[in-house]
Amino acid sequence: MYILPAIFFGWSLGANDAANIFGTAVSNRIVKYRTATIISAIFIILGAMLDGAKGIETISSISSSQIGLASISVLASAITMTTMTYLGVPVSSSQAIVGSLIVTSLIEGNVKWGVLVKLFAAWVGTPIGGIIFSFLAYKIFAVPFNKIKSIYVKEKVIFYGTLIIGAYGSYSLGANNVANITGVFAKTIGVQNAALLGGVSIALGVLTYSYKVMYTVGTQIIELDYYSSAIAVLGESITVWIYALLGIPVSTSQAIVGAVIGAGYARGSRLSSKKIILKIVSAWVNTPVISGVITFLIYYIVKMF
């Protein structure tokens, strides 16, 4: 029973964050929506199982030793993510779970600020990394790509390149963000079981409820062509994967927004809607606060009964 909120949270994350991998490709009709979700689901599970342990251990180190409080923190994060997904706003599962864990830590009187400061710093570095890696990747790969004369060959390179990059991005998502889903339960069920449960629940969200946010990320931030769409996902994937190797769960939403901007500016595009950026940035700020407040409310409601 205590694990059920984690499954709900994983489903919410998958529904929200699938857009960060294939949103630009689907909205630009490079890849069909169903194809994108199937590839994402498979490689998310692989990433969680093969490279998710470090992040799980990080979240486990700041989570409550009481399974009841751990469950409350995950439930509050899931509610936050689901609400944002319904509104079509890409948000951070990392910030949702950390906001909840801060409240449960305060309740217990045991806040590990050292780990939290590391996570906060990564939140700042994530969109910057997305911008830098996608900008550089655009410039580097544009040289050989522009030498291809055949339009047919270019289209094939874009198509297969997008599938490969999408698989890599999905792997990175699973490796990095599985910690947000089941990291709080690692002390109870073990790291590998936490990785499997988290990976599968994220995959379910991708397969069942990811279309609306894909549209938001893919079309409303900045104008992208087929090449820059693929490059944006590559920049985001590199950023998220590096943090996974460091054991720091970060926001794929922040990474892809930065990567889309970096790729867009590399090709000379301008922001198509600054209101969308402000909406997403405000959600980044509000997410940990909202999640923390919901955690506080659930805790006291449960305590009353």
Side-chain angles (χ1 to χ4, degrees), residues 164-250:
I164 293 169
I165 292 169
Y168 171 49
S170 300
Y171 182 94
S172 299
L173 170 62
N176 190 287
N177 277 197
V178 69
N180 301 327
I181 306 306
T182 48
V184 297
F185 297 112
K187 297 172 184 175
T188 304
I189 65 175
V191 173
Q192 281 304 305
N193 288 332
L196 176 60
L197 179 63
V200 170
S201 60
I202 295 170
L204 287 174
V206 173
L207 291 169
T208 60
Y209 197 62
S210 59
Y211 184 79
K212 188 172 184 178
V213 184
M214 276 200 185
Y215 178 78
T216 299
V217 171
T219 62
Q220 297 183 28
I221 296 175
I222 199 168
E223 183 183 350
L224 297 177
D225 57 16
Y226 291 173
Y227 169 76
S228 53
S229 295
I231 290 298
V233 179
L234 178 60
E236 174 255 344
S237 303
I238 294 171
T239 303
V240 174
W241 184 60
I242 288 173
Y243 278 114
L245 295 179
L246 295 173
I248 304 175
V250 295

Side-chain angles (χ1 to χ4, degrees), residues 258-275:
V260 166
I261 292 171
Y265 273 103
R267 72 182 292 264
S269 296
R270 295 184 179 182
L271 291 176
S272 58
S273 176
K274 291 183 180 180
K275 288 183 179 179

